[in-house]
Amino acid sequence: MEAKNKIIKIALIFVIGYSNLFAQDSGIKILEKVKENALSIENGYYEFTINSNLGNNLLPMNGEFFIKDEKYFIETPDIDQLFDGKNIYTIIHENEEIIISKNNNTFFNFTPNQILNFFLDGYNLTFEKDYDKYIVNAYSKKDEFIMYKIKVNNIDFSIEQIEMFDLESDTLLNTFLTISYEYNLPVPPSLFKFDTNKYQNYLIVSEN
């Protein structure tokens, strides 16, 4: 009987371990599919809103996000951000300041590569299926109380919502919500080029 119980325990450990591995692997595949889909469209457009329960002065924030391959332009009332394939231009309207940096230093992290790398590098992933969406739960490896819930459309693999939770207090901290999503739009190439003539009175700071 004791030997039989040991076999059952080993089997349970194997099943639980396999399930966790499957969930992690499935979560990675969902995020990889999000990236693959986003990079396959000709021109993408997102209208979004970001809300916070932390008393952030910049939030709530509404904006628009245009993307072509890895180039993108984000426009909000307070801060715009442009990536032309080489440099990132963060345009702070209140201060009339423009910060030029490389793509490892950003104010927004919306691109497919940024989202995928952020969650793959620092989070353990689990996967679940809802009625009309896939949900990837991302648990921080550094802070056991921080968790993100990433909700993905199960047809076109676009991100519909990202919620950030504090598990210790069971509190929703921040929410990123896609209000509308379109693709293959006639977007002019000039949208992804930085034009100094538009910001003649702005101070330009280069971090390159």
Side-chain angles (χ1 to χ4, degrees):
M1 179 63 71
E2 184 177 350
K4 184 177 180 180
N5 287 338
K6 286 183 178 180
I7 293 173
I8 292 173
K9 287 180 181 179
I10 292 172
L12 286 173
I13 291 171
F14 174 79
V15 169
I16 293 171
Y18 179 79
S19 298
N20 290 337
L21 181 63
F22 175 79
Q24 172 80 6
D25 185 57
S26 297
I28 293 172
K29 286 182 178 179
I30 292 297
L31 294 186
E32 288 178 339
K33 188 66 178 177
V34 168
K35 174 184 174 181
E36 177 187 335
N37 177 74
L39 294 178
S40 68
I41 62 178
E42 183 61 27
N43 292 305
Y45 167 79
Y46 299 81
E47 183 182 1
F48 67 87
T49 182
I50 305 174
N51 294 296
S52 175
N53 294 324
L54 298 177
N56 190 314
N57 291 333
L58 288 174
L59 303 178
M61 176 187 291
N62 298 315
E64 296 177 299
F65 175 40
F66 299 87
I67 183 169
K68 178 179 177 62
D69 300 323
E70 276 298 296
K71 296 180 181 180
Y72 65 85
F73 176 65
I74 300 171
E75 185 175 27
T76 78
D78 299 310
I79 298 175
D80 299 340
Q81 189 165 282
L82 166 69
F83 178 54
D84 63 2
K86 181 181 178 181
N87 291 314
I88 287 180
Y89 302 84
T90 302
I91 303 155
I92 307 170
H93 296 297
E94 182 179 1
N95 299 342
E96 293 192 341
E97 182 180 30
I98 299 170
I99 301 172
I100 305 175
S101 60
K102 295 297 183 183
N103 60 1
N104 61 349
N105 184 12
T106 64
F107 182 82
F108 298 103
N109 294 283
F110 287 174
T111 70
N113 270 335
Q114 290 168 341
I115 291 174
L116 181 66
N117 293 338
F118 176 77
F119 286 113
L120 288 184
D121 289 345
Y123 292 81
N124 294 314
L125 308 178
T126 64
F127 165 78
E128 58 184 286
K129 177 78 165 60
D130 201 358
Y131 174 72
D132 60 349
K133 60 182 61 68
Y134 299 116
I135 299 175
V136 177
N137 297 313
Y139 297 87
S140 174
K141 295 177 182 178
K142 295 182 179 180
D143 187 337
E144 62 179 317
F145 298 117
I146 295 299
M147 187 269 278
Y148 288 87
K149 188 176 288 287
I150 310 160
K151 300 179 181 180
V152 178
N153 186 289
N154 67 349
I155 297 176
D156 61 16
F157 285 89
S158 63
I159 291 179
E160 296 183 347
Q161 190 174 49
I162 300 177
E163 298 173 320
M164 179 183 180
F165 291 91
D166 181 342
L167 298 178
E168 184 177 25
S169 60
D170 193 26
T171 302
L172 175 62
L173 302 178
N174 299 310
T175 303
F176 170 88
L177 178 64
T178 300
I179 299 173
S180 64
Y181 166 61
E182 299 180 62
Y183 55 91
N184 294 335
L185 300 176
V187 179
S190 60
L191 186 65
F192 305 106
K193 294 181 180 179
F194 179 70
D195 184 359
T196 55
N197 293 322
K198 294 181 179 179
Y199 312 100
Q200 293 185 0
N201 297 322
Y202 282 54
L203 173 67
I204 297 179
V205 179
S206 178
E207 295 185 347
N208 294 342

